[in-house]
């Protein structure tokens, strides 16, 4: 070894002339450009704002629970015709029975009295829906009584009822 030669690796960056610089190396954050730091800071701030907004929007306060707004819309079309079968042909109610889906006018299509059904027809709709109606206007307020059953059902249709509607039920037969 020579007297002027270093004994190990250089301790700092070399200058262009090959000699060692006396300046110490810059740390990583010092070597990053201001543009990169600006972008990283913007991302971190964006995540922080999103987290706060998400927490507040999700009902961040435990004092008052969020209450969803519910809108109910009922649409019904009532007709004064007998029900139709799968071919579109109108079914006429025989005396003492209600053949199936449809709206039936009391005193014209069906007689007042007590009727029974074995329940739903099956298939896609697992329930049997029925309603006694004070009018055939289709308004929700026209329902005197109704039900949505899964088994045998008995309903008494009064002579003062205007109509009876049924959906998804087997044939209704008069019980009295």
């Amino acid at each position: 070894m020579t007297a002027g030669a270093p004994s190990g690796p250089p301790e700092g960056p070399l200058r262009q002339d090959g000699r060692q610089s006396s300046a110490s190396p810059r740390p990583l954050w010092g070597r990053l450009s201001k543009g990169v730091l600006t972008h990283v800071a913007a991302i971190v701030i964006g995540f922080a704002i999103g987290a706060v907004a998400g927490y507040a929007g999700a009902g961040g306060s435990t004092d008052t629970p969020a209450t969803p707004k519910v809108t109910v819309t009922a649409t019904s079309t009532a007709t004064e015709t007998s029900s139709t079968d799968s071919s579109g042909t109108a079914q006429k109610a025989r005396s003492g029975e209600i053949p199936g889906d449809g709206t039936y006018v009391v005193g014209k299509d069906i007689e007042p009295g007590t009727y029974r059904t074995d329940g739903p027809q099956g298939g896609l709709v697992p329930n049997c829906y029925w309603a006694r109606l004070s009018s055939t206007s289709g308004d929700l307020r026209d329902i005197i009584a109704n039900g949505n059953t899964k088994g045998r059902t008995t309903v008494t249709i009064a002579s003062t009822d205007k109509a009876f509607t049924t959906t998804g039920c087997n044939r209704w037969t008069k019980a009295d």
Side-chain angles (χ1 to χ4, degrees), residues 37-172:
L37 290 176
T38 304
H39 284 78
V40 169
I43 290 170
V44 170
I45 291 171
F47 277 124
I49 290 172
V52 169
Y55 178 73
S61 170
T62 57
D63 297 340
T64 307
T67 19
K69 292 184 179 181
V70 178
T71 302
V72 177
T73 303
T75 304
S76 175
T77 303
T79 60
E80 292 191 11
T81 61
S82 300
S83 73
T84 56
D85 61 17
S86 60
S87 68
T89 306
Q91 298 180 41
K92 282 293 188 184
R94 288 187 276 176
S95 180
E97 67 178 43
I98 302 170
D101 293 350
T103 299
Y104 301 88
V105 177
V106 177
K108 180 179 175 188
D109 298 325
I110 59 171
E111 302 168 6
T114 301
Y115 290 83
R116 291 192 180 112
T117 183
D118 288 334
Q121 295 171 354
L124 295 176
V125 180
N127 298 331
C128 166
Y129 175 78
W130 60 269
R132 294 175 42 223
L133 305 172
S134 63
S135 169
T136 57
S137 70
D139 289 339
L140 198 55
R141 65 178 176 202
D142 292 340
I143 298 174
I144 299 167
N146 67 351
N148 200 14
T149 63
K150 292 187 181 226
R152 296 188 93 181
T153 303
T154 302
V155 174
T156 300
I157 301 170
S159 59
T160 55
D161 294 353
K162 178 69 176 176
F164 178 77
T165 189
T166 178
T167 305
C169 305
N170 281 308
R171 182 178 304 272
W172 293 80

